[in-house]
Amino acid sequence: MNKVIVPGTFDPITNGHLDIIERAAKLYDQVIVAIAKSAGKNPLFSLEERAELAKDSCSYLKNVEVKTFEGLLVNFAKENDAHIVVKGLRIVSDFEYEFQMAGLNRKLYPEFETLFMMSSHEYMHLSSSQIRELAQMGGEYEELVPECVAKALKNL
Ligand code: COA
C-alpha cells in the first residue's frame, strides 16, 4: 500500500490545504494529514481544535486520516511507517524554504522523499495567516475555508 503524509500547522485548515489533500488522496492509497503542534508559531487554535477542524473538513475523503505530532516530522514518518511527504507549492518564495526543509529531512532520514504539488491557481496566494487576519478584521473569508472553519472563526 502506498502511503503519504501531508504535514503542516493547519491554523486553520483552508481550501488551499484541502486542494492538496484531495489531490494526494486520488494518487495514493492512504493519506495521513499530520498536524504539528508548532508551539513556536503560537497558533490561534489549539492542537486539538486544529485536528478536529481538519477531521471534519476531510471526512468526505475515505482514505484520509488526521493525526497530531510533536517533535521532528521524520520521527513521525518513521513511527507511521511512511517515507513520502507531499507539500503544496504556492508562490516562488515558498521554494527556497521548502528546498532547505526537504534537504534537512533527507539528511535526517535518507529514505525520506518530499514531493511538491503546485497549488491550484485559485489558492496560489492563500495562507492561514491571511484567513486569521481577515477573520479578526471583519473581512470576508467564507469562500476560502471549509464550513466548519468559517463557523469556528465566527465563534472566536
Ligand atoms: N494552501 C494554502 N496555504 C498553504 C498551503 C496550501 N497548500 N501549504 C502551506 N500553506 C501555508 C499555511 O497556511 C501557512 O500559512 P501562514 O504561515 O500564513 O499561517 C504557511 O503556508 C506555512 O505552513 P505551515 O504548515 O505552518 O508550516 P511549514 O510549511 O513551515 O511546515 C511542518 C510545517 C509541520 C511541516 C514543519 O514545521 C515541520 O516539519 N515541523 C516539525 C519539526 C521538524 O521536523 N523540523 C525539522 C524540519 S526542517
Side-chain angles (χ1 to χ4, degrees):
M1 173 187 281
N2 54 36
K3 191 194 290 189
V4 292
I5 298 174
V6 179
T9 305
F10 299 102
D11 185 37
I13 188 166
T14 68
N15 289 347
H17 293 123
L18 217 44
D19 164 52
I20 300 295
I21 296 166
E22 199 178 300
R23 286 160 59 200
K26 282 188 191 147
L27 295 172
Y28 293 93
D29 295 329
Q30 194 188 343
V31 175
I32 303 175
V33 174
I35 313 218
K37 189 166 182 193
S38 298
K41 288 195 171 181
N42 201 15
L44 177 65
F45 289 101
S46 71
L47 184 60
E48 294 70 26
E49 287 168 332
R50 284 180 275 141
E52 273 315 307
L53 292 172
K55 273 183 198 160
D56 201 343
S57 308
C58 296
S59 59
Y60 70 101
L61 298 165
K62 296 304 164 211
N63 57 339
V64 174
E65 171 183 23
V66 175
K67 291 188 174 187
T68 59
F69 76 103
E70 258 189 270
L72 292 178
L73 178 61
V74 289
N75 290 342
F76 175 84
K78 286 179 191 167
E79 284 159 17
N80 285 276
D81 201 21
H83 65 107
I84 305 172
V85 152
V86 172
K87 296 208 79 182
L89 267 191
R90 294 163 300 161
I91 37 181
V92 179
S93 54
D94 275 354
F95 182 77
E96 199 174 328
Y97 170 71
E98 292 293 351
F99 190 78
Q100 277 181 356
M101 193 142 63
L104 180 58
N105 281 330
R106 194 101 187 266
K107 207 164 187 167
L108 295 169
Y109 178 12
E111 286 79 38
F112 195 88
E113 294 287 355
T114 306
L115 304 183
F116 294 105
M117 214 177 241
M118 272 182 66
S119 287
S120 295
H121 183 71
E122 59 268 45
Y123 305 124
M124 277 289 173
H125 298 280
L126 180 59
S127 75
S128 298
S129 53
Q130 271 179 358
I131 295 293
R132 296 193 300 272
E133 198 166 312
L134 284 170
Q136 281 159 350
M137 295 185 172
E140 284 182 20
Y141 52 83
E142 287 79 356
E143 289 191 357
L144 303 171
V145 293
E147 217 178 303
C148 61
V149 172
K151 218 183 241 175
L153 286 165
K154 278 201 185 92
N155 290 337
L156 279 175

